[in-house]
Amino acid sequence: MTTADARSDHPTVARLSDLVARAGVGAGVTVLVSVLPVVGLVAPAVGGGVASWTDESETPRGPRIGAATGALVALLSLPLTFFAVWVAAAVSPAATVGVLALTLFGAAYVVGSGALGGYLADRLAAKRDPPAAGVDREASTPVERLKHRYVDGELSDAEFERRLDRLLAADREADRAETRSRSDREASPQARERER
């Protein structure tokens, strides 16, 4: 692996490790809240919301963090699932199918509820913390907006480089056109003088 490859992989690895760390926090909160009566039913949403609330990214990633939290909780429950399937297999094939169906439904509920909790936490954070005056993406240049999207993980390395090359080529062409226009304006009075 070259040094350039290592540098280009670093942001992706950093974003992934940050996502996993936030999901771990959310999974811990989910497990703790799940033992409480009544509130335990919304434990995945609470865990996803807490995980998203701790995120310091400039762009909202709540649903992604919440879904990762739910997926981690579902993975942590796999030993219990295997035990339930083993017991159901001893009873009957219908019981096994029922346990598997309930497991899939439960996993979908946990992941979806976590994503909802992350989304709601992002909405609350947006109301609580208005965007900083210095970070006005509408007023920033296209290259700055592209960099933000890359840092936030919305673009792959190849897509970022392709779009950056296209923007820089357009900037160079605009500069050339402006230079030609300026030289034409400066040359035209001299040409008029020669004609007289």
Side-chain angles (χ1 to χ4, degrees):
M1 178 184 283
T2 65
T3 307
D5 291 339
R7 262 187 266 131
S8 68
D9 286 346
H10 179 69
T12 304
V13 171
R15 286 191 303 271
L16 183 61
S17 64
D18 181 56
L19 181 71
V20 170
R22 306 253 180 244
V25 168
V29 170
T30 301
V31 170
L32 290 174
V33 172
S34 67
V35 298
L36 298 173
V38 182
V39 179
L41 294 173
V42 293
V46 172
V50 168
S52 176
W53 194 266
T54 63
D55 188 29
E56 297 171 355
S57 175
E58 290 180 13
T59 59
R61 303 186 308 168
R64 190 179 320 159
I65 292 172
T69 298
L72 186 58
V73 169
L75 285 174
L76 292 174
S77 68
L78 278 178
L80 181 62
T81 301
F82 289 141
F83 177 73
V85 168
W86 178 69
V87 169
V91 174
S92 74
T96 305
V97 170
V99 167
L100 287 174
L102 283 174
T103 299
L104 289 175
F105 175 76
Y109 170 75
V110 169
V111 171
S113 183
L116 176 65
Y119 170 77
L120 293 175
D122 275 354
R123 297 291 299 218
L124 287 173
K127 288 180 181 177
R128 182 191 67 179
D129 301 329
V135 186
D136 184 15
R137 293 208 178 170
E138 281 71 27
S140 63
T141 66
V143 173
E144 289 172 351
R145 287 194 301 268
L146 183 67
K147 287 179 183 177
H148 283 294
R149 290 184 63 199
Y150 175 69
V151 168
D152 294 339
E154 296 176 22
L155 300 173
S156 68
D157 294 341
E159 181 69 13
F160 171 74
E161 289 174 10
R162 185 179 66 77
R163 289 184 182 200
L164 182 62
D165 289 342
R166 193 170 43 184
L167 282 173
L168 294 176
D171 282 348
R172 284 191 298 268
E173 186 59 37
D175 288 344
R176 285 188 201 121
E178 184 178 332
T179 303
R180 280 192 299 257
S181 173
R182 192 177 319 129
S183 65
D184 289 346
R185 283 193 307 259
E186 291 171 358
S188 60
Q190 295 168 353
R192 285 188 215 127
E193 286 296 320
R194 286 187 209 136
E195 290 174 1
R196 287 183 190 173

